[in-house]
Amino acid sequence: MRSRLLAALLSLLAISALPAQAQTSTSAEESSIINNGLQKLDVKTGSGKELQSGNIAVVHYTGWIYDSFAPRERGPQFDSSVGRGVFSFPVGTGKVIKGWDQGVVGMKVGGKRTLIVPSEMAYGARGAGAMIPPHSTLIFDIELLDVR
């Protein structure tokens, strides 16, 4: 009995520690947590070809530093392909951060997904230049435009 109570309490604590965006879901948004705390929130489910490891993903994206006090948890924006041109990468080959390699699999063309990527699946202790400090959790809004 005591172990069940402890397990239930730990589950509640884990859920309450998630960003508010990952705790809620509506019929139009489906949230899931996968490997190592990576969070996926499907904002719009696509109807085209499904993206698998080994495919080339063609996307538009915008990235922010996670900030629990900022509107929609989006702190400073550090990068975006919108207005600059699409971004293409081979999925599952380590050419992008682990959070992207794992977080985009299963998207369908036309879909939009938000990824909340823990530091360990992004740039970790090293950060990335002046824009992404060490140990930063990142948020990405991704739109899958094509699968090759």
Side-chain angles (χ1 to χ4, degrees):
M1 176 69 176
R2 185 175 180 175
S3 63
R4 284 186 186 173
L5 182 58
L6 181 58
L9 179 59
L10 289 174
S11 294
L12 286 173
L13 288 172
I15 290 169
S16 66
L18 293 175
Q21 180 177 354
Q23 292 180 35
T24 61
S25 109
T26 66
S27 59
E29 298 177 341
E30 187 175 321
S31 179
S32 65
I33 300 173
I34 59 174
N35 304 323
N36 300 319
L38 174 65
Q39 298 172 46
K40 300 186 306 183
L41 177 67
D42 282 326
V43 177
K44 177 184 173 191
T45 302
S47 58
K49 185 175 179 181
E50 185 172 327
L51 184 60
Q52 298 298 322
S53 188
N55 294 144
I56 303 291
V58 181
V59 302
H60 265 309
Y61 71 92
T62 302
W64 295 269
I65 305 295
Y66 175 82
D67 180 350
S68 62
F69 298 106
R72 298 179 56 221
E73 289 88 28
R74 286 157 172 78
Q77 180 179 315
F78 59 84
D79 195 11
S80 183
S81 68
V82 178
R84 189 179 68 208
V86 298
F87 177 66
S88 300
F89 64 98
V91 178
T93 63
K95 300 291 183 185
V96 293
I97 61 173
K98 285 182 185 181
W100 273 46
D101 261 344
Q102 294 179 20
V104 299
V105 171
M107 286 184 75
K108 293 183 179 180
V109 172
K112 294 182 180 183
R113 180 175 286 175
T114 296
L115 299 177
I116 302 174
V117 183
S119 172
E120 304 79 39
M121 297 186 80
Y123 298 100
R126 72 182 189 279
M131 296 297 292
I132 302 175
H135 306 290
S136 292
T137 296
L138 306 177
I139 296 180
F140 292 95
D141 285 340
I142 300 172
E143 178 179 10
L144 184 60
L145 304 171
D146 194 13
V147 173
R148 297 184 190 145

